[in-house]
Amino acid sequence: MYVQHLAPVAHSLGLSALVAALPLVIVLVLLGGLRVKAHLAGLSGLLAAVLVACLAYRMPLDQTLSSAVQGAVFGLFPILWIVVNALWVYRMTVRTRHFDVLRRSFGRLSDDPRIQALVVAFCFGALLEALAGFGAPVAICSVMLVALGFDPVRAAVVSLVANTAPVAFGAMGTPVVTLAQVTGLPLDTVASVVGRQTPLLALVVPLVLVGLVDGRRGLRETWVPALVCGVAFAAAQFAASNYLSAQLADIAASLVGAAALVAVPHTRVPATEEVRASVLTGTRSEELDERDPRPEVLSAYAPYALIVAVFSLAQIPAVKDTLARATRTFDWPFLDVVDAHGGRVGGNVFSWPVVSTGGTLVLIAGVGAAAVLGVHARVALTEWLATVRELRFAILTVTSVLALAYVMNLSGQAATIGYFVAAAGAGLAFLSPVLGWFGVAVSGSDTSANALFGALQVTAARESGLSPALLAAANSSGGVLGKMISPQNLTIACAAVGLAGREGDVLRKVLPWSVGLLLVMCLIVVGQSTPVLGWMLP
């Protein structure tokens, strides 16, 4: 049995936290400072985490390696399982040229690239996040923006920044459901508080996006549709998460936001040649000007409609219970870990949701999409294998970073950092979102960050006299802002638009926005912990 230690370095929590943070610091420095390829940075961080676990925390080597293997397996399933299947559906639409039809459909909504960024990256990306998450929205939206004429770097940056507001309720509400499970708080309570934080981001993000696309001129000329889109998205996300269902919050928000954006007259005003020439520095597909028969347009939307239908059916209680029965749970081999208080950690047991996981549901929808699009079974299989090959370096990055996260979690490194932050006392409300941001930056998943730090946030809140629901929600809401700098998301975005090896360039462009928006979220949580904004909480 391995017992986690919170302060193994000189019996100092501060020094131990400094040592425990080394793996993450190494990954970020290699990626952003030295421009090392993401999979090499991930493997280097994993090696550092193993060394810290063995040398500083005295975790037995066999348990350390077993932790890493479990993290890699989790990276493959369910995370990469859902990404591969979502991108497989996309590849089939490309193979049948229905993706071109979809692009033309979006392009006809507006020829203004600033509006296109809102439609594709913010609204459509939010729908994809609601259905799949785990990197699929960034990959698909980046490709669509490049096809519309965006420079690949700008397309990747816009897609990464847009993938913030919907993340807490992404993958059919998986992050908040996980947060409720690990904290013991009611799901309705957790979803309600998160639904009073992330909608405030939704008010700002569309304005940030038009600024990223076209600077001050973009803000000056398109702030009205951007604000309308943000307000509609925020209102729908708030209403759905508080009064309808956390699982449907992002679906409602994305559809309402898109409808509001299309309804604004300014959206249909043609962009000037000056704007198009300065913004669209990439190669625009000449086919975007073609007109498509209505049945072809319906077929182009069919794969995503099928995904919505399959996920919606999976939420019916009877169906959900039936799918859940296929889950396999077993003790993970060579792993016997208890926390510093003597309680067994969840990593000792591994659950494999064979059918109920999002990736399997996307696969089912993909089979239906193949039938609708007229893709032969042999061709569909070929495209699936080609998807795996295309993502081979992303797969290596994701598995190595998740292995790193699991080693940090099971060895006690993550708990050390968490308790160090929790010791901030009066400053805990400000630092609480930072902890979630840190967790997502490491793991690339708001779900994982909630599992990592959710219970700790509740414990720290009770010790500090703060609202447990507030700090638990802050973990998730702050975490969404770490997604744009997570190595695996950067890798997926760059791989999708042909920028493999340039993850560091993209990181330097999105890091200021990640930190800036994190500061905004920290101030929101501080306000909600006081009478200034305390009236916002349920």
Side-chain angles (χ1 to χ4, degrees):
M1 179 182 293
Y2 169 70
V3 181
Q4 294 178 349
H5 301 285
L6 295 178
V9 180
H11 303 290
S12 167
L13 188 63
L15 289 176
S16 299
L18 190 62
V19 172
L22 280 176
L24 177 62
V25 172
I26 287 173
V27 171
L28 295 180
V29 169
L30 289 177
L31 200 59
L34 302 180
R35 305 189 183 187
V36 173
K37 291 183 178 180
H39 63 281
L40 296 177
L43 290 171
S44 299
L46 172 58
L47 177 60
V50 169
L51 290 175
V52 170
C54 292
L55 300 179
Y57 282 76
R58 306 296 182 188
M59 188 179 195
L61 180 60
D62 60 339
Q63 298 214 47
T64 303
L65 295 180
S66 181
S67 302
V69 172
Q70 184 179 164
V73 170
F74 183 76
L76 290 171
F77 192 99
I79 293 179
L80 285 166
W81 180 235
I82 197 170
V83 172
V84 167
N85 289 325
L87 290 182
W88 170 60
V89 173
Y90 154 71
R91 284 184 67 96
M92 287 194 294
T93 64
V94 172
R95 178 73 178 249
T96 59
R97 307 188 74 82
H98 283 91
F99 186 67
D100 294 329
V101 177
L102 190 65
R103 289 185 315 205
R104 289 191 285 269
S105 177
F106 283 152
R108 281 192 291 273
L109 291 175
S110 174
D111 72 345
D112 190 325
R114 300 163 299 190
I115 302 299
Q116 290 172 346
L118 294 177
V119 173
V120 174
F122 188 68
C123 296
F124 186 57
L127 179 61
L128 293 175
E129 180 66 35
L131 301 174
F134 295 114
V138 170
I140 294 174
C141 292
S142 296
V143 172
M144 293 184 75
L145 290 177
V146 168
L148 291 169
F150 282 68
D151 171 76
V153 172
R154 182 176 290 171
V157 170
V158 167
S159 298
L160 285 165
V161 174
N163 189 224
T164 49
V167 169
F169 296 103
M172 303 304 294
T174 299
V176 291
V177 171
T178 301
L179 185 61
Q181 289 174 340
V182 301
T183 60
L185 298 172
L187 174 59
D188 291 345
T189 300
V190 173
S192 179
V193 179
V194 174
R196 298 167 193 238
Q197 293 172 343
T198 56
L200 299 177
L201 286 178
L203 297 175
V204 178
V205 171
L207 296 170
V208 172
L209 294 180
V210 297
L212 284 172
V213 172
D214 194 29
R216 293 182 180 178
R217 179 178 60 188
L219 279 171
R220 185 173 64 250
E221 296 180 359
T222 57
W223 69 269
V224 172
L227 187 60
V228 169
C229 178
V231 169
F233 185 102
Q237 191 182 61
F238 163 76
S241 61
N242 278 266
Y243 306 112
L244 183 59
S245 166
Q247 287 85 352
L248 300 178
D250 279 348
I251 293 178
S254 60
L255 295 178
V256 171
L261 179 61
V262 172
V264 177
H266 192 99
T267 300
R268 293 180 292 278
V269 176
T272 64
E273 287 302 319
E274 180 185 1
V275 170
R276 295 184 60 80
S278 62
V279 173
L280 301 180
T281 53
T283 302
R284 182 177 183 270
S285 173
E286 296 179 358
E287 297 178 353
L288 290 174
D289 297 322
E290 294 180 11
R291 292 304 238 178
D292 300 294
R294 187 174 182 82
E296 288 296 296
V297 175
L298 293 176
S299 295
Y301 281 92
Y304 302 101
L306 281 170
I307 293 175
V308 172
V310 170
F311 272 87
S312 298
L313 286 173
Q315 295 307 308
I316 297 174
V319 177
K320 190 173 184 178
D321 291 342
T322 301
L323 296 178
R325 291 194 193 102
T327 299
R328 296 291 178 264
T329 302
F330 54 89
D331 291 333
W332 189 259
F334 307 109
L335 201 62
D336 187 10
V337 181
V338 296
D339 61 27
H341 304 293
R344 288 179 59 82
V345 301
N348 293 311
V349 178
F350 188 79
S351 293
W352 185 25
V354 184
V355 182
S356 60
T357 187
T360 303
L361 297 178
V362 174
L363 178 65
I364 293 170
V367 172
V372 171
L373 299 175
V375 179
H376 190 275
R378 178 178 53 80
V379 176
L381 179 60
T382 300
E383 289 297 330
W384 193 90
L385 294 174
T387 303
V388 174
R389 174 175 171 76
E390 179 185 339
L391 291 175
R392 61 191 183 279
F393 290 115
I395 290 171
L396 183 56
T397 300
V398 171
T399 52
S400 63
V401 172
L402 262 296
L404 176 156
Y406 268 62
V407 170
M408 290 185 66
N409 184 21
L410 292 171
S411 66
Q413 296 173 55
T416 295
I417 297 170
Y419 274 94
F420 178 72
V421 173
L428 181 59
F430 183 86
L431 293 176
S432 183
V434 178
L435 199 57
W437 177 86
F438 164 78
V440 176
V442 173
S443 67
S445 165
D446 199 39
T447 300
S448 297
N450 287 342
L452 198 64
F453 294 132
L456 177 61
Q457 295 270 21
V458 169
T459 300
R462 286 170 177 154
E463 292 178 356
S464 304
L466 297 172
S467 164
L470 173 62
L471 294 201
N475 192 82
S476 191
S477 299
V480 306
L481 300 169
K483 192 146 189 176
M484 69 178 83
I485 65 167
S486 67
Q488 54 267 51
N489 246 28
L490 290 168
T491 302
I492 290 169
C494 290
V497 296
L499 294 175
R502 294 187 59 187
E503 291 87 357
D505 294 337
V506 176
L507 172 62
R508 282 188 292 277
K509 290 183 178 294
V510 298
L511 183 58
W513 292 107
S514 177
V515 174
L517 291 173
L518 174 63
L519 176 61
V520 172
M521 181 54 64
C522 290
L523 294 176
I524 290 172
V525 174
V526 168
Q528 290 179 334
S529 70
T530 68
V532 177
L533 295 180
W535 53 269
M536 294 179 62
L537 299 180

